[in-house]
Amino acid sequence: MNINLRSIKNGSLAAALVGILTPLPALAADASAINTGDTAWIMIATALVMIMTPGLALFYGGMVRKKNVLSILMQCFTVIALVSVQWVLLGYTLSFGPDVKGIIGGLDFWGMSGVGLEPSATYATTIPHTVFIMFQGMFAIITAGLITGAFAERMKFSVFVIFTLLWTTLVYDPLAHWVWGGGFLAKLGALDFAGGTVVHISSGVSGLVAALILGRRFSKDREAILPHNLPMTVTGAALLWFGWFGFNAGSALAANGLAGMAFLVTNTAAASGAISWVLAEWLDHGKPTIFGAVSGAVAGLVAVTPASGYVTPLASIIIGLLVGPICYLAVSRVKEKLGYDDALDAFGIHGVGGTIGALATGLFATTIINSTAANGLFYGNPHQLWVQFVSVLISWSYAGLMTFLILKGISLVTSLRVNKEEEEIGLDASLHGEDAYGYSEMGVEGTGVMG
Amino acid sequence: MNINLRSIKNGSLAAALVGILTPLPALAADASAINTGDTAWIMIATALVMIMTPGLALFYGGMVRKKNVLSILMQCFTVIALVSVQWVLLGYTLSFGPDVKGIIGGLDFWGMSGVGLEPSATYATTIPHTVFIMFQGMFAIITAGLITGAFAERMKFSVFVIFTLLWTTLVYDPLAHWVWGGGFLAKLGALDFAGGTVVHISSGVSGLVAALILGRRFSKDREAILPHNLPMTVTGAALLWFGWFGFNAGSALAANGLAGMAFLVTNTAAASGAISWVLAEWLDHGKPTIFGAVSGAVAGLVAVTPASGYVTPLASIIIGLLVGPICYLAVSRVKEKLGYDDALDAFGIHGVGGTIGALATGLFATTIINSTAANGLFYGNPHQLWVQFVSVLISWSYAGLMTFLILKGISLVTSLRVNKEEEEIGLDASLHGEDAYGYSEMGVEGTGVMG
Amino acid sequence: MNINLRSIKNGSLAAALVGILTPLPALAADASAINTGDTAWIMIATALVMIMTPGLALFYGGMVRKKNVLSILMQCFTVIALVSVQWVLLGYTLSFGPDVKGIIGGLDFWGMSGVGLEPSATYATTIPHTVFIMFQGMFAIITAGLITGAFAERMKFSVFVIFTLLWTTLVYDPLAHWVWGGGFLAKLGALDFAGGTVVHISSGVSGLVAALILGRRFSKDREAILPHNLPMTVTGAALLWFGWFGFNAGSALAANGLAGMAFLVTNTAAASGAISWVLAEWLDHGKPTIFGAVSGAVAGLVAVTPASGYVTPLASIIIGLLVGPICYLAVSRVKEKLGYDDALDAFGIHGVGGTIGALATGLFATTIINSTAANGLFYGNPHQLWVQFVSVLISWSYAGLMTFLILKGISLVTSLRVNKEEEEIGLDASLHGEDAYGYSEMGVEGTGVMG
Amino acid sequence: MKKIEAIIRPSNLETLKAALNALEVRGMTVYNVMGRGLQKDVKQFYRGQEISIDLFPKVKVEIICRDHWLDRIIDVILEECSSGQIGDGKIFVYPIEDIIRISTGERGDAAL
Amino acid sequence: MKKIEAIIRPSNLETLKAALNALEVRGMTVYNVMGRGLQKDVKQFYRGQEISIDLFPKVKVEIICRDHWLDRIIDVILEECSSGQIGDGKIFVYPIEDIIRISTGERGDAAL
Amino acid sequence: MKKIEAIIRPSNLETLKAALNALEVRGMTVYNVMGRGLQKDVKQFYRGQEISIDLFPKVKVEIICRDHWLDRIIDVILEECSSGQIGDGKIFVYPIEDIIRISTGERGDAAL
Ligand SMILES: Nc1ncnc2c1ncn2[C@@H]1O[C@H](COP(=O)(O)OP(=O)(O)O)[C@@H](O)[C@H]1O
Ligand SMILES: Nc1ncnc2c1ncn2[C@@H]1O[C@H](COP(=O)(O)OP(=O)(O)O)[C@@H](O)[C@H]1O
Ligand SMILES: Nc1ncnc2c1ncn2[C@@H]1O[C@H](COP(=O)(O)OP(=O)(O)O)[C@@H](O)[C@H]1O
C-alpha cells in the first residue's frame, strides 16, 4: 500500500497501477538467511524442470504422425506460457498461500504481491522466495503438459486453451496445496516427495478421463499409427531424464545429503525401469526396442518421484524393476482390451507409474534416509501404506471427477474435437496453418507460392 | 615477467613462450573471498548461456531451406569457436580491462595475463576471475551469432569469418565496455541489466544494415521460402529459453534475491510474449501458430533482458504483452513494406525487441527491486527514460555505422555474396561440400559413390 | 548389520532384505562438513555429464545411415541403463573402494552399503558421498558409450549387452581405480585431471580392437556411407561441449578457482580444436565443413580433458591447435591406409586425441595453475612427460588386451555380427523391429497395418 | 498387360491395400507425390506471411496387371477411394510392352 | 490423350506452376526424384573422405492432357525451364489409354 | 525409343550405376518408392503393439533409351541386381512417343 501511495504522491497514475503489485518487504523473512549454495542449486533445478516440458514436447512429438507434430509442440509450449502467467497471478497463492481450512491457499500472494528478494517465511527459508515460487511453478507447468499425451491428434486448440486454464486452477493448485501447501493430505501424513500424486496421478488419470470423453481417433480403427520420428522421442526422453534430477533432487529444496540421495535413486530407478521394460518386451515379442527403453526409463522416473526422498538405492532399483513390466502390460494389453484411445499413454505411464510409486513409497520409505519422514511397511509401519493408499484414492477421484466436469462443461459450449476431415488433413495444417517440414520432404526445397 | 624469468632459469625456452601468458597472482584479489554458491551459480549460468548459441543455430537452422541448414549451423558454430579464442586473447581485456577514457578497456588482461584462480579485484569479487571472464565471453559469442539470421542463405563463408572477427572486436567489445566495463554509458547511468543494448540492439541493427548491403536473396522474389523443419526451430527456442535463465539471472553475478527475481521476470516475460504474439496473429489471420509462439517467447526474452534486474513481476508481464504484437507487425508488415530481406528476422525481433526493452526499462525500473539502480518514469523518475533513449540512440548509430564500414571495407576486396547458381544449389553443397541429410531423403539409404 | 537387526526386530522380513544395503552412518564423515556451493556445483556437473551420453547418441546417430540410427540410440541408452545399475551395485566400490594392492578397490561399498547422506571420508569431503558416487558414475557410463562408435552398424545387440557389462567391470573399473582410486598409476604420479587415459584412451583403443575383430561392414567396400542427418550430429556435439564443462570443471570436485580455470581451458581447447580441424581440411580439400568443425571441437575437448586442471589458457589453445589436424589426418588418411572400419572414429578421435592430451599434459602442466600437481617438461620437469608416457602405454595395452580377450571369449559362444542380410535391411528393423521415421518419409503419414 | 496408376488420398492407402489383398492382388509400387487439380488452395501462415498451398500430398499406387484384371482392380479402387469429394484422385491406364522378374529373368505374364 | 513427364530443376517449379495456371492447366502430379545425365559430378567431403555425387535433385512434373494441348504445354515448359545450361532437364511424352476420376467414376476426357 | 523402369533393392543402386556407367549409359532418373509383391511381411513392435509391414523400400531406376540398347541395359540390370531371391525386383518396359531436351529444344533421339 505505502508504495502505492508513494507513487501516487509522485503524481504517476501508472505507478499506482504497477506499484500495487510490487513487493512489500515487510511480509518477508530476513535476506541474510539466504544460503548461496542452496539458492544456486534450486535455481538450476528450476531450469532443469523447465526444460522437461520442451523435452516432453519432443518425447510426445516424435510419437505422433508427421501431420500432427506441430499441434503437440504447440500444446506443450502453450502450457508453458499460460501456466507461467497463471502461476504468478493466481496459482502460486492458491497452492502455497496461507492454508484455508486445509482446502486451499489464501490470496495473500496473488500477482506476487508481498514477494520480495528475501526468503519466504514458511517454505525453503534458505533461498529467495522467488526461487521457491519458480521451482514450484515449473511443476505446475509440466503437470498440465503431461495430460496432452492422452488426447493427442484430435482436440481443438481453443478447447485446449480453456481446458488448461481451468484444469491447472481447479485441479492442480488445490492438489498441490493439499499435499505440499499444508493441506489436509499433508496433515494426514501422506508422503509424496516430488509429485507422484500431485503430478503423475493427477495428470495420468485426467488424461484417461479426457481420452474417454473425446473418444478414439477416426483413423485409429483403420490403421496402426506409427511414431513419425523416434530419434525425436529419444531426445525428449533424454531431456526428461536430465531435467528429472532437478525435479526430484531439487525437491530437497537445498544442496544437501538428501538431495544427493534423491539424485542417486532417481537415476537408478530410471535405469532399472528401462532395463525391466526392455526385458519384458524382449520376452514377450522377441525384440528389444529403443521405444521400449525410453518408455521404461520414464516409467521408472515416474515411479521413483514420490519415493525419491525416502528410499534406499536398492529400493529404487526394485521400484524400477517393478514398474517397467507393469506399465508395459498396461499400454500393450490393457489399453487394447478396454479400447480407450490414450494416444501417447499419458495414463498408461504416468497414471499407472505414479500409482505404483505412491504405494511403493508406503512400502520402502525409511527414516534412515529421511529422519523427518516416516517408515513404510517394510520398515515396520503398515499404517504408512494405508495413508498412501488413501492419498492415491483421493487424487484419482478428485482429478478424474474434475476433469470430467470441466470437459463436459466446455462441451456444452462447443465440440471438443476437430471434425473428421480436419483430423485426416492433420492438426498442423487444419488448426495451425503450418507444415512441420515445409515442402522440403517433397524435394521442392521448402518453397510455396506467395499469397 | 618474473614467471618468464623463472622458466628461463629452469632452462626451458618453451616455458618462456608459454609462461609469458601465465597468471600473475600478484594482480588479483584474495582467493578466500570466493563464495562457492555464487561460483557454482555463475559457472552453470555460463554453461547455460553457452548452450544458447547452439540453440540459436537450431532456431535459425529450422527456418531455412533444407539446402542451407548446414550453412547456418556452420556460422553459429564458427562464431563459438572464433569468439571464444578472440575473447581470451583480446576481447575480454578490451571490454573489461581498466577503463581508458570511458572508450575502451586497457590491454592488461590480453591473453589472460594476470588472470589466476582468484576473483577479479573489480568485478564479481565473490567468484574466480576466470568464471566472470567465461560468463561474459558467452555473451560476446551469442551476440555475434544473432546477426547471422539477417544475412542467412547468401553470405560467403570466408567473408563471414572476417566479418565476425572484425565485428566482435570493433563493435561488441567497445559497446560492452561502454555499458558494463565502466565506459561512458555506464557513467551516464544507462540501465542494461543483461544486454538489451549491448547484445540485442547491436546485433539486430547490425543485421538490418548487413541485410540491406547484401540485398535480397534471388529466390525471394520468385517464391515464398518456408521453414524446412519447425520442430528444429522449436527445439532451438526451448534451448534459448532454458539458457536465458543463465543469461539474465546470471547477470546478478551472485546466487541471491536479485538473481531469483531476474529469473522470475525472465520467465513471465517470455510467457506473455508468446501469448501476445499468438493472440495478435490469431486475430490478424485466424490461426495460432507454433512458429508464432516461439517467436513471441524469444521477443519477450529479448525485451526483458535489459529490464530483468530492475522490474517487478507484473511489469515483466506488461513488457511481454507489449513486445509480442509490435514484433509481429515488424516482421509481417514493416519488413514486407520496406522490402529488406532480414531473412530470419534478426532485426525484427532482436533490434525491435531490444529497443522496446531498453526503453521499457526507463519506464518500469524500480529501486524496490534493485536498490543500487534507479527508478523509471512510472516511479517518478522521467530522467531515466531519457538516459535509456540516449543509450539506445548511441547503440543504434554505432552498431549501424560500424557494420556498414566493415562490410563496405570487405566488399572492396571481394564480393560478399555467393553467386546466383551457388544460391540455387544451396550453400551447404556449394560452400561446404556437404548435404545435411545425405542421400537419405532419397531413399538410397545415405550412400554415394566413393571418390 | 544393526539396521538389519532392527528391521527384523520390527518383525519385517522384507526389511531385512532391503535394510541389508541401507546406509551405515557410522562409516561416514560429519554431515556438517558439507559445503552447499560445492554440492550444488557437483550435482549439476553430474547432470551435465549425464546429458553427454544422449549427446553422444545424437552425435553418432546422425552419422549412420537412416536404417541404423535407432541401433545407435539403443546402444547408448542401454549403456546408461546398464552401467547406472552396475555402478551402484559393484562398479563404484571396485573403482573407489579401499585400495587393494594398488590394483582394485575393496567391496566395502557394494550395493551402496555404508553410503549415507554424509560426505565420504576419503574423496570430495565437502559434498555428500552420493554426489561423488553419481558424478563418477556418469564417467563410467559415457566411457562405455564412446566405444560404440567403432563397431556401429554391425554388432549384435545381445553381444553388445554382454560386452558392455564385462568391459565396464573388467576394463573401466580397474583403470579408474589405478588413476583416481589411489591405484598404482596415481602413486606413479600420472596426471589425468578428467580422464584422458581412463576415459578416452581406454574407449578409443578398445574401439579400435573391436573394429578389427568384427571386421568391415559389407557395404563399406561397395559404397561410401554418408551421415543421414548432420544437424542431429551437430546437436549432439553441442550437448557434448555443454556437458564437458561439468566433466572437466566438475573434476575439481568443488566450486573454486581451479574449477573456473578448468572451465576456461576446456572452452578454448574445444574452440581451437574446431578452428584447426577446419583449417586443415580447408587447405587439404578446399571446403570448410560443419562436420569437420564439430569433429575438431570434440577432438579439442578430448585432448584437454587430462590437462584441464593443470594448464594455462594459452597452453589449451596450443593443445587445441595441435589435436585438430592430427585427428583429421588420423581419420581421413591413416584409417583409409590401414583399412580398419572404425565406423564413427571412436579411435580416430578419442584414442588419438586422448593420447595427445595425456602427453601434452606432461609438457604443459604447471604448478602455477595447480599447486598440488607437478610441472611438465616446459616448466622444467621432463620426468612428468615420462610418467605420462608410461600411463598412456599401460592404458593402451590393458584396454586393448582386455577388449581382445572379452570379444574373443564371447565369439566362442556366438557370432559377434549380424548377418549380411540383416546388415542390408538395417539394424533398426532386423534387431529392434522398429523404423526411426515410421512410414512418414513415404508420405503415407506414419501408418501401417495393424497386426 | 496394363499399367494402372491410381493417385489417391494418403488416408485411403491402407484400406485399398487390404481390399486388393482380398482380391489376391499383392503386387504394387507406391509413390509419395504432390498433386494439383480442382482441389482449391489452402492458406498457411509463417510469421504472418500468407502462403497459398496448391500442391497436396497424394499417394500414387502403381499396379501392373493382366488385361482381364484391369476392370476388377479399377472397381476396387473406385470402391475404396471414392468419397465423391473433389480430390479423391484419378486412375490412369497405360500400355506396357514387357515385364522381367529380376530374380529369375522370367519375362511377360510369368514375371508377375 | 497424352502423358507429359517433365524433369526439371527444383528451382523452376514455382514459375512453371504459375505459367501453367495462366494457361488454366491446373492438373499435375509432382515427384521428388534424383537424376543423372550429362551434368558432371560434384565432390563432397565427409571427415576428409571424398565422395563424388552424380545424382542431382530434380523435380518431375507429370501432366495428362488432351492431344491438342500437348504442344502448348511443351512450349510453356521450354519457356519457363530452359536456361540453355546442361541439367535443365527433359520432357518425355507417353501414350495413355484411359483416365478415370475416382470421385465420380467418369472416364476419358471427361475425367480430366 | 523405350522407357525401362527397374524396381530394385536400394542396396543395388550404386553397383548398377557403376555398371551402366561402364556401358556409357549415364542418363537415368531415380525414384524412392515402396513396394509390395511376393516378399512376405515383417513384424514390427511399438510399445508392444504388433505392426505387420508389407511395403518395403525399393528404388526405381528409370532409363529412356534407343530400342537397340534395350536388351543390353536389361542384361546389365539382371547381372547387377539379381540375387535369385524373392524381392530382387522387376523390370517394366514401356513405349515412349517423344523426347525433348529442355535446354536446347532438341527432339527425339537427339535429345538423349
Ligand atoms: N491433368 C492431370 N495430370 C496429372 N495429374 C493429375 C491431373 N489432374 C489431376 N491429377 C492428379 O489427381 C489428383 C486429384 O485431382 P483433383 O482434380 O484435385 O481432384 P479429382 O481427382 O476429384 O478431380 C491431383 O492432386 C493430381 O495429383
Ligand atoms: N536417358 C535418360 N533416362 C531417364 N532420365 C534421364 C535420361 N537422361 C536425362 N534424364 C533426366 O534428365 C535430367 C537432366 O538431364 P541432363 O543430361 O543432366 O541435362 P540435359 O537435360 O540438359 O540433357 C537428369 O538429371 C535425369 O533426371
Ligand atoms: N504387379 C506389380 N505392379 C507393380 N509393381 C510390382 C508388381 N509386382 C511387383 N512389383 C514391384 O516389384 C517389387 C519386387 O517384387 P516381389 O514380388 O516382392 O519380388 P520379385 O521381384 O522377386 O517378384 C515389389 O516390391 C514392387 O515394388
Side-chain angles (χ1 to χ4, degrees), chain A residues 352-369:
Chain A
V352 173
T355 303
I356 292 171
L359 297 177
T361 305
L363 299 174
F364 293 102
T366 164
T367 52
I368 296 156
I369 297 296

PDB file of all heavy atoms in Angstrom, chain A residues 352-369:
ATOM      1  N   VAL A 352      -0.483 -44.999 -14.168  1.00  0.00           N
ATOM      2  CA  VAL A 352      -0.122 -46.297 -13.589  1.00  0.00           C
ATOM      3  C   VAL A 352       1.184 -46.183 -12.791  1.00  0.00           C
ATOM      4  O   VAL A 352       1.261 -46.585 -11.631  1.00  0.00           O
ATOM      5  CB  VAL A 352       0.014 -47.356 -14.708  1.00  0.00           C
ATOM      6  CG1 VAL A 352       0.543 -48.663 -14.140  1.00  0.00           C
ATOM      7  CG2 VAL A 352      -1.329 -47.554 -15.399  1.00  0.00           C
ATOM      8  N   GLY A 353       2.203 -45.582 -13.433  1.00  0.00           N
ATOM      9  CA  GLY A 353       3.500 -45.479 -12.755  1.00  0.00           C
ATOM     10  C   GLY A 353       3.435 -44.645 -11.490  1.00  0.00           C
ATOM     11  O   GLY A 353       4.058 -44.979 -10.479  1.00  0.00           O
ATOM     12  N   GLY A 354       2.657 -43.566 -11.537  1.00  0.00           N
ATOM     13  CA  GLY A 354       2.545 -42.714 -10.353  1.00  0.00           C
ATOM     14  C   GLY A 354       1.871 -43.439  -9.208  1.00  0.00           C
ATOM     15  O   GLY A 354       2.249 -43.277  -8.035  1.00  0.00           O
ATOM     16  N   THR A 355       0.882 -44.248  -9.542  1.00  0.00           N
ATOM     17  CA  THR A 355       0.186 -45.010  -8.514  1.00  0.00           C
ATOM     18  C   THR A 355       1.123 -46.039  -7.870  1.00  0.00           C
ATOM     19  O   THR A 355       1.220 -46.134  -6.646  1.00  0.00           O
ATOM     20  CB  THR A 355      -1.031 -45.734  -9.128  1.00  0.00           C
ATOM     21  OG1 THR A 355      -1.877 -44.760  -9.737  1.00  0.00           O
ATOM     22  CG2 THR A 355      -1.797 -46.496  -8.068  1.00  0.00           C
ATOM     23  N   ILE A 356       1.866 -46.751  -8.719  1.00  0.00           N
ATOM     24  CA  ILE A 356       2.834 -47.718  -8.191  1.00  0.00           C
ATOM     25  C   ILE A 356       3.828 -47.008  -7.270  1.00  0.00           C
ATOM     26  O   ILE A 356       4.120 -47.473  -6.163  1.00  0.00           O
ATOM     27  CB  ILE A 356       3.582 -48.391  -9.354  1.00  0.00           C
ATOM     28  CG1 ILE A 356       2.619 -49.287 -10.135  1.00  0.00           C
ATOM     29  CG2 ILE A 356       4.776 -49.196  -8.844  1.00  0.00           C
ATOM     30  CD1 ILE A 356       3.192 -49.826 -11.427  1.00  0.00           C
ATOM     31  N   GLY A 357       4.302 -45.852  -7.722  1.00  0.00           N
ATOM     32  CA  GLY A 357       5.291 -45.129  -6.926  1.00  0.00           C
ATOM     33  C   GLY A 357       4.752 -44.666  -5.589  1.00  0.00           C
ATOM     34  O   GLY A 357       5.424 -44.787  -4.557  1.00  0.00           O
ATOM     35  N   ALA A 358       3.521 -44.157  -5.611  1.00  0.00           N
ATOM     36  CA  ALA A 358       2.933 -43.658  -4.363  1.00  0.00           C
ATOM     37  C   ALA A 358       2.771 -44.800  -3.361  1.00  0.00           C
ATOM     38  O   ALA A 358       3.054 -44.648  -2.165  1.00  0.00           O
ATOM     39  CB  ALA A 358       1.584 -43.008  -4.654  1.00  0.00           C
ATOM     40  N   LEU A 359       2.334 -45.957  -3.854  1.00  0.00           N
ATOM     41  CA  LEU A 359       2.172 -47.103  -2.958  1.00  0.00           C
ATOM     42  C   LEU A 359       3.529 -47.652  -2.530  1.00  0.00           C
ATOM     43  O   LEU A 359       3.744 -47.970  -1.356  1.00  0.00           O
ATOM     44  CB  LEU A 359       1.342 -48.179  -3.646  1.00  0.00           C
ATOM     45  CG  LEU A 359      -0.100 -47.766  -4.002  1.00  0.00           C
ATOM     46  CD1 LEU A 359      -0.825 -48.878  -4.751  1.00  0.00           C
ATOM     47  CD2 LEU A 359      -0.869 -47.376  -2.738  1.00  0.00           C
ATOM     48  N   ALA A 360       4.472 -47.731  -3.484  1.00  0.00           N
ATOM     49  CA  ALA A 360       5.803 -48.248  -3.143  1.00  0.00           C
ATOM     50  C   ALA A 360       6.446 -47.395  -2.050  1.00  0.00           C
ATOM     51  O   ALA A 360       7.185 -47.901  -1.204  1.00  0.00           O
ATOM     52  CB  ALA A 360       6.686 -48.275  -4.384  1.00  0.00           C
ATOM     53  N   THR A 361       6.133 -46.102  -2.052  1.00  0.00           N
ATOM     54  CA  THR A 361       6.656 -45.225  -1.003  1.00  0.00           C
ATOM     55  C   THR A 361       6.160 -45.710   0.359  1.00  0.00           C
ATOM     56  O   THR A 361       6.884 -45.672   1.346  1.00  0.00           O
ATOM     57  CB  THR A 361       6.202 -43.774  -1.235  1.00  0.00           C
ATOM     58  OG1 THR A 361       6.599 -43.394  -2.548  1.00  0.00           O
ATOM     59  CG2 THR A 361       6.832 -42.833  -0.219  1.00  0.00           C
ATOM     60  N   GLY A 362       4.934 -46.212   0.384  1.00  0.00           N
ATOM     61  CA  GLY A 362       4.376 -46.750   1.625  1.00  0.00           C
ATOM     62  C   GLY A 362       5.030 -48.050   2.034  1.00  0.00           C
ATOM     63  O   GLY A 362       4.898 -48.491   3.167  1.00  0.00           O
ATOM     64  N   LEU A 363       5.740 -48.664   1.111  1.00  0.00           N
ATOM     65  CA  LEU A 363       6.444 -49.913   1.423  1.00  0.00           C
ATOM     66  C   LEU A 363       7.888 -49.662   1.821  1.00  0.00           C
ATOM     67  O   LEU A 363       8.382 -50.163   2.809  1.00  0.00           O
ATOM     68  CB  LEU A 363       6.436 -50.846   0.203  1.00  0.00           C
ATOM     69  CG  LEU A 363       5.090 -51.310  -0.345  1.00  0.00           C
ATOM     70  CD1 LEU A 363       5.299 -52.103  -1.630  1.00  0.00           C
ATOM     71  CD2 LEU A 363       4.358 -52.147   0.700  1.00  0.00           C
ATOM     72  N   PHE A 364       8.582 -48.817   1.006  1.00  0.00           N
ATOM     73  CA  PHE A 364      10.035 -48.709   1.129  1.00  0.00           C
ATOM     74  C   PHE A 364      10.537 -47.494   1.908  1.00  0.00           C
ATOM     75  O   PHE A 364      11.734 -47.387   2.176  1.00  0.00           O
ATOM     76  CB  PHE A 364      10.668 -48.692  -0.264  1.00  0.00           C
ATOM     77  CG  PHE A 364      10.524 -49.968  -1.026  1.00  0.00           C
ATOM     78  CD1 PHE A 364       9.571 -50.101  -2.036  1.00  0.00           C
ATOM     79  CD2 PHE A 364      11.342 -51.059  -0.742  1.00  0.00           C
ATOM     80  CE1 PHE A 364       9.449 -51.282  -2.749  1.00  0.00           C
ATOM     81  CE2 PHE A 364      11.233 -52.238  -1.457  1.00  0.00           C
ATOM     82  CZ  PHE A 364      10.283 -52.353  -2.461  1.00  0.00           C
ATOM     83  N   ALA A 365       9.634 -46.552   2.232  1.00  0.00           N
ATOM     84  CA  ALA A 365      10.092 -45.352   2.935  1.00  0.00           C
ATOM     85  C   ALA A 365      10.811 -45.739   4.227  1.00  0.00           C
ATOM     86  O   ALA A 365      10.414 -46.691   4.901  1.00  0.00           O
ATOM     87  CB  ALA A 365       8.905 -44.447   3.262  1.00  0.00           C
ATOM     88  N   THR A 366      11.920 -45.025   4.498  1.00  0.00           N
ATOM     89  CA  THR A 366      12.654 -45.329   5.721  1.00  0.00           C
ATOM     90  C   THR A 366      13.244 -44.061   6.326  1.00  0.00           C
ATOM     91  O   THR A 366      13.774 -43.213   5.611  1.00  0.00           O
ATOM     92  CB  THR A 366      13.796 -46.344   5.465  1.00  0.00           C
ATOM     93  OG1 THR A 366      14.679 -46.318   6.580  1.00  0.00           O
ATOM     94  CG2 THR A 366      14.583 -45.985   4.219  1.00  0.00           C
ATOM     95  N   THR A 367      13.156 -43.958   7.616  1.00  0.00           N
ATOM     96  CA  THR A 367      13.676 -42.776   8.314  1.00  0.00           C
ATOM     97  C   THR A 367      15.204 -42.755   8.291  1.00  0.00           C
ATOM     98  O   THR A 367      15.819 -41.773   8.678  1.00  0.00           O
ATOM     99  CB  THR A 367      13.186 -42.766   9.777  1.00  0.00           C
ATOM    100  OG1 THR A 367      13.499 -44.035  10.354  1.00  0.00           O
ATOM    101  CG2 THR A 367      11.692 -42.539   9.840  1.00  0.00           C
ATOM    102  N   ILE A 368      15.808 -43.859   7.858  1.00  0.00           N
ATOM    103  CA  ILE A 368      17.272 -43.858   7.745  1.00  0.00           C
ATOM    104  C   ILE A 368      17.690 -42.842   6.679  1.00  0.00           C
ATOM    105  O   ILE A 368      18.675 -42.151   6.814  1.00  0.00           O
ATOM    106  CB  ILE A 368      17.785 -45.254   7.349  1.00  0.00           C
ATOM    107  CG1 ILE A 368      17.454 -46.264   8.452  1.00  0.00           C
ATOM    108  CG2 ILE A 368      19.277 -45.221   7.054  1.00  0.00           C
ATOM    109  CD1 ILE A 368      17.370 -47.674   7.946  1.00  0.00           C
ATOM    110  N   ILE A 369      16.879 -42.773   5.625  1.00  0.00           N
ATOM    111  CA  ILE A 369      17.168 -41.836   4.537  1.00  0.00           C
ATOM    112  C   ILE A 369      16.633 -40.455   4.897  1.00  0.00           C
ATOM    113  O   ILE A 369      17.260 -39.442   4.646  1.00  0.00           O
ATOM    114  CB  ILE A 369      16.519 -42.326   3.222  1.00  0.00           C
ATOM    115  CG1 ILE A 369      17.116 -43.664   2.806  1.00  0.00           C
ATOM    116  CG2 ILE A 369      16.653 -41.297   2.128  1.00  0.00           C
ATOM    117  CD1 ILE A 369      18.583 -43.617   2.471  1.00  0.00           C
TER     118      ILE A 369
END
